[in-house]
Amino acid sequence: MATRLGLTLPQMKQYDLGRDVTDVARAAEAIGYDSLWVFERALFPDPPTQGLYGIEGLAWPDGYRGVADPLVTLTLAAAVTERAALGTSVLVAPLHGPFQLAKALASLDAASGGRVVAGLGTGWSLDEYAAASARPFEERGQVLDEVIAVCRAVWGPDPVVYDGTLTNIASAVVGPKPARPIPILLAANTGKARRRLVDHADGWMPIGMGVEQLAAQWRQLQDLAAERGRTEPLRTVLRTNPRYTAKGYEGADRQPFQGGVEQIVADLVAHAEVGLDEIFLDLQSSVRDAQELKDVAAEVYEAARAAGV
């Protein structure tokens, strides 16, 4: 069975939100992509108080100066597509009120006919937490736990009852309900996060950093699931961030998913052999505009399918 392939939607400042999101969403579904994805960046500190991902000295991409809201972006895509799944990779869960987030995701799933995939994470930006989170950064894990629990409660049968730290629902009817149970995927890069994933989530959402590392992490997660008695399979979706260059990329130190279409597809083939369910590509930061994004996405898709991905 072929690996499912997905594509991220254009959210960064160089794109026209009202025009390019719907244009790319329609084109991606017509090309054959199985899913459409968004990410979340709430703000751009200027000057930055942290490097990108919290790494000292690593610059924030200029495109992050204006990243469109992920759920608004997915709603635009949902309105012009019929088949493609609509995923978040990831929503920074503690930046949202648990109840409001659960209701928004349920509404989008109901409106789209059951196509939402909720990829959630805790984030890393202290500035985003200062601006948007109701709880401090140090409590991000506990907040994510509550978001997951509130989502399960709100998406379940009425009456909804929940008693938590951030959310208290005495007894209420909450609708609309999702068209089907919305899968929750987590990145899970630490031991505690992996246990949360195995015990409370539906799947794993790693980032492509090389085949050997990915395969080792997948084995560790499967072993942990067996140890903790999980019987349900883990859904797996790999996020890749290719740096596309029309001339390709040369050099012994080349990192995964960098270069022209031929090299990107070669990397896709290698990563697909790990055996994950789905791989999606975020090409938006390395192309000039929506037209080039569509053109490269079409070329990659055709070449990947021809290569057996």
Side-chain angles (χ1 to χ4, degrees), residues 45-194:
D46 192 13
T49 55
Q50 292 173 285
L52 186 67
Y53 310 129
I55 301 172
E56 185 176 356
L58 187 60
W60 288 52
D62 190 63
Y64 282 8
R65 290 181 180 272
V67 177
D69 179 88
L71 295 185
V72 170
T73 305
L74 277 188
T75 300
L76 289 169
V80 297
T81 56
E82 297 179 355
R83 173 187 55 79
L86 306 165
T88 62
S89 178
V90 293
L91 289 177
V92 184
L95 303 185
H96 301 264
F99 180 82
Q100 290 89 339
L101 181 58
K103 188 170 174 66
L105 289 168
S107 298
L108 180 57
D109 193 73
S112 65
R115 294 191 280 148
V116 172
V117 179
L120 305 179
T122 55
W124 49 266
S125 170
L126 298 178
D127 293 284
E128 289 183 337
Y129 269 76
S133 179
R135 305 299 299 171
F137 182 77
E138 292 74 21
E139 297 178 22
R140 61 195 182 281
Q142 298 96 302
V143 176
L144 177 56
D145 287 336
E146 181 155 333
V147 168
I148 294 171
V150 171
C151 283
R152 302 292 194 202
V154 167
W155 300 340
D158 294 322
V160 176
V161 177
Y162 185 84
D163 184 14
T165 301
L166 296 171
T167 310
N168 290 280
I169 309 169
S171 179
V173 175
V174 184
K177 299 296 184 184
R180 90 303 187 223
I182 298 174
I184 294 176
L185 277 58
L186 304 176
N189 296 316
T190 66
K192 186 173 182 179
R194 291 190 185 101

Side-chain angles (χ1 to χ4, degrees), residues 247-306:
K247 295 181 179 180
Y249 184 92
E250 296 179 358
D253 60 346
R254 187 191 62 78
Q255 295 298 308
F257 295 95
Q258 294 183 12
V261 168
E262 183 177 348
Q263 184 59 63
I264 290 172
V265 171
D267 288 333
L268 277 174
V269 170
H271 282 71
E273 291 176 354
V274 175
L276 304 187
D277 300 320
E278 184 167 355
I279 302 173
F280 74 91
L281 302 97
D282 186 354
L283 294 163
Q284 65 178 310
S285 63
S286 60
V287 295
R288 290 168 295 183
D289 52 30
Q291 185 59 53
E292 186 175 24
L293 175 56
K294 292 186 295 181
D295 291 343
V296 175
E299 191 175 351
V300 169
Y301 184 87
E302 292 172 8
R305 289 309 191 206

